[in-house]
Amino acid sequence: MLTPIVAAAAVLAVAAFSHGLVASDPPRLPGISPLSLLKKVGKPQTQAVSGTVKLTVDIGLPKLPKLGGDGGADPMRLLSGVHLVRLATDASGSGSSSDSGSGSGSGSESESESRERIGIQDTLSEYDLFRDGSDLWMWDSAHQTARHGSVDSVTSALLSFASPSDLAKTFTGPSAVKTLLFDTAYSMRDTRRVAGRDCYVLQITPHSDGTTVGSVEVAVDAATGVPLSVSVYPTGSSSPAIKAEFETVSFSADPSELRFTPPPGAKVVEEATPDLPANPVHGAGTDWTSAAVIGGVDPQKLIAGLGTPHGAAQPAPEGFAAVLAALAGTPGTPLQSYLRMMMADGAKTPVGVVWSSRLVSLVFTPDQRLFVAFATPESLEATVAAEVGHS
């Protein structure tokens, strides 16, 4: 199982209820076992989903600065705070799908056929990412700038957390279930409604020492098997650190919403392909303390590569810095200062600089790798030591 690369996304949503029902009335659904529900999630009955997701992330990261001169919307800020996201995705390869229950399972479709739009809405601006297979457009309405590039594995991992369905795969996908089967309790909770849809609720409780995850709750649409809400609770906490939930949802996607053409007068920037190491993202360790490992991350080069103040000349960012710079648009000194603060707060250990929050721990190693896990600092340090010993 690849543990998420950083916090993901999350939400408190106001569900729509049918006439005559109140919020305390759970829907009546046929009984189902946790295993049967996991199988249902693994083979959803639709390949397209669209709607509005309200994201709330409180994993203990300091609040990210608004990047750019006017503080408009940008995807890096999804790592903390509350955000409204417009999501549309279609894995059928056609850019459209019929309504719920009419499609076949999406497991056989290749990722190259997937089309996706993630719209991050701010008070006065919007930042949209359009993914068509490996092709990526990033539209910054505040700066009227369209950036064009390709989807690398790091960008793909970062973007996956804007969707409750993608976030749920971390805990319900086949590889996750296989890895966690003997260290996890699966149980059914009371049914509820999410975005007006009747949902089963699966509770996932780790039985592993060293993890920071106390439990995970996934609300699954009863008709289609699509996860509509995910809540991740830290150990010993009754409030989620990550919650991602649809406020409105449709099991179709307008093809026009998945296409992007730069508007007249927009500045178009062709992004160079980041110089990332081979297999830049992989997993390390086992069970709930396993880590995602990102290669080629030198903190000092990363900070230096994200721009200089006052428009001073600066070489184009390289490697992981290029990925963050492309996503953030024009990050400049706010993101630099933020990363410097994180590094200053980190603890220097034999395996590298360790930084931790109530849900996520990170280790920056001397050989330019970043380890991220839902684990205590001590547990992640042990994972890093074991991985370095086998390298």
Side-chain angles (χ1 to χ4, degrees):
M1 181 186 87
L2 282 183
T3 304
I5 296 186
V6 135
V11 238
L12 246 261
V14 180
F17 293 93
S18 301
H19 179 70
L21 295 176
V22 295
S24 60
D25 293 334
R28 294 183 178 181
L29 295 171
I32 190 171
S33 68
L35 180 59
S36 296
L37 186 58
L38 285 169
K39 290 180 178 178
K40 191 178 183 72
V41 172
K43 295 183 178 179
Q45 296 301 302
T46 181
Q47 295 177 329
V49 180
S50 61
T52 301
V53 177
K54 190 177 180 183
L55 304 174
T56 305
V57 179
D58 181 18
I59 62 167
L61 282 170
K63 187 175 181 181
L64 279 157
K66 288 191 173 184
L67 307 179
D70 56 6
D74 65 77
M76 297 305 300
R77 291 179 60 237
L78 292 181
L79 300 181
S80 66
V82 181
H83 310 277
L84 195 63
V85 173
R86 173 65 185 172
L87 177 69
T89 183
D90 189 345
S92 69
S94 63
S96 65
S97 175
S98 56
D99 215 318
S100 67
S102 61
S104 60
S106 60
S108 63
E109 299 296 335
S110 68
E111 184 173 303
S112 63
E113 295 175 318
S114 298
R115 306 178 74 184
E116 182 177 31
R117 176 183 180 180
I118 300 172
I120 305 161
Q121 302 172 13
D122 199 82
T123 306
L124 299 174
S125 64
E126 183 168 340
Y127 193 110
D128 292 280
L129 299 106
F130 296 83
R131 176 179 181 172
D132 189 348
S134 61
D135 196 58
L136 180 68
W137 279 98
M138 296 161 281
W139 169 242
D140 183 348
S141 68
H143 297 91
Q144 289 291 291
T145 299
R147 297 177 178 272
H148 182 231
S150 58
V151 179
D152 56 81
S153 57
V154 176
T155 301
S156 180
L158 288 171
L159 296 182
S160 67
F161 296 100
S163 164
S165 300
D166 286 342
L167 180 59
K169 291 177 185 177
T170 303
F171 309 102
T172 63
S175 60
V177 173
K178 181 179 179 181
T179 302
L180 306 177
L181 184 61
F182 299 106
D183 303 295
T184 308
Y186 297 89
S187 60
M188 300 302 299
R189 309 291 291 177
D190 289 340
T191 59
R192 70 185 187 95
R193 290 182 178 83
V194 177
R197 303 285 301 185
D198 292 351
C199 292
Y200 293 106
V201 179
L202 176 68
Q203 179 166 297
I204 305 169
T205 306
H207 287 165
S208 296
D209 293 333
T211 182
T212 53
V213 177
S215 65
V216 180
E217 286 191 1
V218 182
V220 180
D221 182 63
T224 64
V226 175
L228 299 183
S229 176
V230 180
S231 300
V232 183
Y233 293 84
T235 301
S237 176
S238 60
S239 61
I242 300 173
K243 186 173 179 176
E245 187 167 288
F246 277 97
E247 286 192 322
T248 63
V249 67
S250 172
F251 300 105
S252 63
D254 185 345
S256 64
E257 194 174 4
L258 297 169
R259 290 191 292 266
F260 177 74
T261 300
K267 178 182 178 182
V268 177
V269 177
E270 290 291 337
E271 296 286 353
T273 302
D275 183 19
L276 297 172
N279 188 27
V281 182
H282 68 276
T286 59
D287 61 56
W288 284 86
T289 62
S290 62
V293 187
I294 308 172
V297 181
D298 181 324
Q300 300 309 318
K301 288 184 178 179
L302 172 61
I303 292 170
L306 288 173
T308 55
H310 311 303
Q314 172 73 17
E318 299 176 352
F320 192 63
V323 176
L324 293 187
L327 287 174
T330 311
T333 54
L335 187 54
Q336 286 179 314
S337 299
Y338 183 88
L339 292 176
R340 285 194 183 101
M341 176 185 65
M342 283 190 64
M343 294 304 297
D345 287 343
K348 292 180 174 59
T349 74
V351 298
V353 177
V354 180
W355 188 93
S356 63
S357 71
R358 70 182 186 131
L359 186 65
V360 175
S361 293
L362 301 87
V363 174
F364 294 88
T365 65
D367 61 353
Q368 300 184 11
R369 287 188 287 178
L370 170 61
F371 287 71
V372 187
F374 287 151
T376 62
E378 297 78 13
S379 179
L380 181 54
E381 287 176 49
T383 298
V384 175
E387 178 76 1
V388 171
H390 288 100
S391 299

